[in-house]
């Protein structure tokens, strides 16, 4: 099984338990700041405090392509970016490409969002399949597997890079497979994790793409487990830190966080985590991570937000908030963490505010 589609496959494996679990935070210590989201993923704050959330969407009635473990996922234009401002939410970009199961679960589409300057957003689009399959999808299906900029003031958009196209040429291992996920600004371009290509790539302002780091499989032979990088952030030391979901069978404690300096080999910064999907540093250098599942995805989708500190032989983790249903993205502001939950569900995803004090 190619693990670019591993997240969808894993969530599908435990979907029965997932749908029985409420995404909402009934805990009085949690505040719901956005709701009704379609498969929400990463999120980010603009300098003025506006919160932007990438919604992978709920697919649609268009063409279908093979997804995780061969199951068909169908295309639609239900992907979006939601803005949360002063307690109100609205979709500021909609009609974006999305693939999902026929019930709208396990969406793949907009994965991460970054504000480059006032009114301008950059969005990464997942895919999780052979880039050649995009040719069978109606517009805007060609946006899947790409990086794109949206000008909210002018209501225009422009392409930045075709990451899936790069994967098809540069890394055709076991069949080309691309699933762009997390992104962070680097100079005039971006670093992007490709959960299908199992690498970290860089794109310039002109759209040139190159490989910065290929993240290794764990184990060997039939016991090899793919890395599946999910997010990248800049650390206080100027290096970049990359989270790891890990592939099937999604073992407890098998995920690493890598430290990457462009031009050097990636090193393990912390280990012993499970199915990590998102990272965020505080201004003082404290690292927070989201574990999509605390027990491993085959054993459920109840995850947590944790603090991470390396100790030389693994990682010391402190659970800040457990019992979260399918959490995925995290962003920090003014001593609080904002976490997307219900990341495998249409219409029921949320953003929760979690105090860090």
């Amino acid at each position: 099984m190619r693990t670019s589609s591993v997240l969808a496959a894993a969530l599908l494996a435990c979907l029965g338990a997932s749908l029985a679990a409420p995404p909402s935070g009934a805990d009085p210590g949690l505040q719901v700041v956005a709701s009704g989201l379609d498969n929400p993923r990463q999120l980010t704050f603009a300098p003025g405090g506006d919160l932007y959330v990438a919604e992978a969407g709920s697919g649609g009635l268009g063409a279908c392509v093979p997804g995780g473990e061969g199951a068909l996922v169908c295309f639609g234009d239900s992907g979006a970016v939601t803005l949360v401002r002063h307690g109100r939410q609205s979709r500021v970009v909609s009609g974006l490409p999305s693939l999902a199961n026929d019930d709208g679960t396990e969406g793949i589409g907009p994965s991460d969002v970054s504000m480059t300057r006032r009114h301008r957003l950059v969005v990464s689009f997942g895919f999780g399949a052979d880039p050649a399959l995009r040719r069978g999808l109606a517009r805007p299906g060609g946006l899947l597997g790409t990086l794109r900029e949206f000008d909210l003031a002018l209501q225009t958009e422009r392409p930045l890079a075709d990451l899936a196209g790069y994967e098809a040429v540069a890394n055709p291992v076991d069949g080309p497979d691309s699933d762009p996920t997390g992104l962070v600004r680097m100079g005039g371009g971006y670093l992007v994790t490709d959960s299908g290509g199992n690498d970290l790539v860089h794109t310039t302002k002109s759209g040139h793409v190159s490989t910065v780091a290929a993240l290794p499989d764990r184990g060997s032979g039939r016991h090899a487990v793919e890395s599946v990088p999910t997010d990248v952030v800049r650390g206080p030391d100027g290096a970049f830190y990359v989270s790891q979901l890990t592939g099937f069978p999604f073992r407890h404690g098998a995920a690493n966080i890598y430290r990457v300096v462009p031009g050097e080999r990636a090193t393990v910064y912390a280990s012993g985590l499970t199915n990590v999907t998102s990272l965020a540093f505080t201004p003082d250098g404290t690292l927070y991570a989201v574990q999509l599942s605390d027990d491993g995805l085959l054993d459920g989708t109840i995850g947590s937000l944790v603090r991470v500190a390396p100790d030389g032989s693994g990682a010391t983790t402190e659970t800040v908030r457990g019992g979260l249903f399918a959490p995925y993205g995290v962003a920090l502001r003014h001593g609080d963490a904002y976490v997307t939950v219900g990341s495998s569900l249409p219409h029921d995803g949320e953003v929760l505010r979690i105090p860090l004090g």
Side-chain angles (χ1 to χ4, degrees), residues 8-31:
L11 292 174
L12 181 62
C14 50
L15 183 58
S18 298
L19 291 179
S24 178
D27 189 315
L30 303 178
Q31 178 187 358

Side-chain angles (χ1 to χ4, degrees), residues 134-315:
R134 294 184 297 177
R135 292 195 292 266
L137 302 176
R139 185 165 177 17
L143 303 188
L144 292 166
T146 70
L147 199 64
R148 204 163 182 88
E149 183 182 71
F150 296 84
D151 189 312
L152 302 183
L154 300 178
Q155 293 294 295
T156 59
E157 60 181 90
R158 68 183 183 96
L160 294 182
D162 184 359
L163 304 176
Y166 172 77
E167 164 70 10
V169 174
N171 190 25
V173 178
D174 194 26
D177 193 310
S178 182
D179 191 13
T181 44
L183 67 95
V184 68
R185 192 76 179 264
M186 177 181 168
Y190 291 88
L191 288 179
V192 184
T193 51
D194 191 321
S195 300
N198 292 312
D199 54 14
L200 179 68
V201 298
H202 177 252
T203 176
T204 65
K205 289 188 292 187
S206 63
H208 175 74
V209 184
S210 59
T211 301
V212 173
L215 299 181
D217 290 350
R218 307 285 297 278
S220 59
R222 64 186 182 91
H223 298 293
V225 173
E226 293 189 50
S227 179
V228 194
T230 50
D231 194 20
V232 54
V233 295
R234 186 190 295 270
D237 58 352
F240 295 92
Y241 292 77
V242 177
S243 57
Q244 180 184 45
L245 181 78
T246 68
F248 185 86
F250 323 109
R251 293 189 183 94
H252 172 80
N256 292 334
I257 296 171
Y258 290 92
R259 182 179 183 271
V260 177
V261 175
E264 301 179 10
R265 185 174 181 177
T267 58
V268 175
Y269 173 76
S271 61
L273 293 98
T274 305
N275 304 148
V276 183
T277 52
S278 191
L279 301 172
F281 276 101
T282 62
D284 69 0
T286 302
L287 179 60
Y288 289 85
V290 171
Q291 296 188 140
L292 178 62
S293 171
D294 288 337
D295 297 323
L297 277 168
L298 293 186
D299 294 314
T301 53
I302 301 301
S304 60
L305 175 69
V306 300
R307 290 187 187 93
V308 182
D311 63 7
S313 60

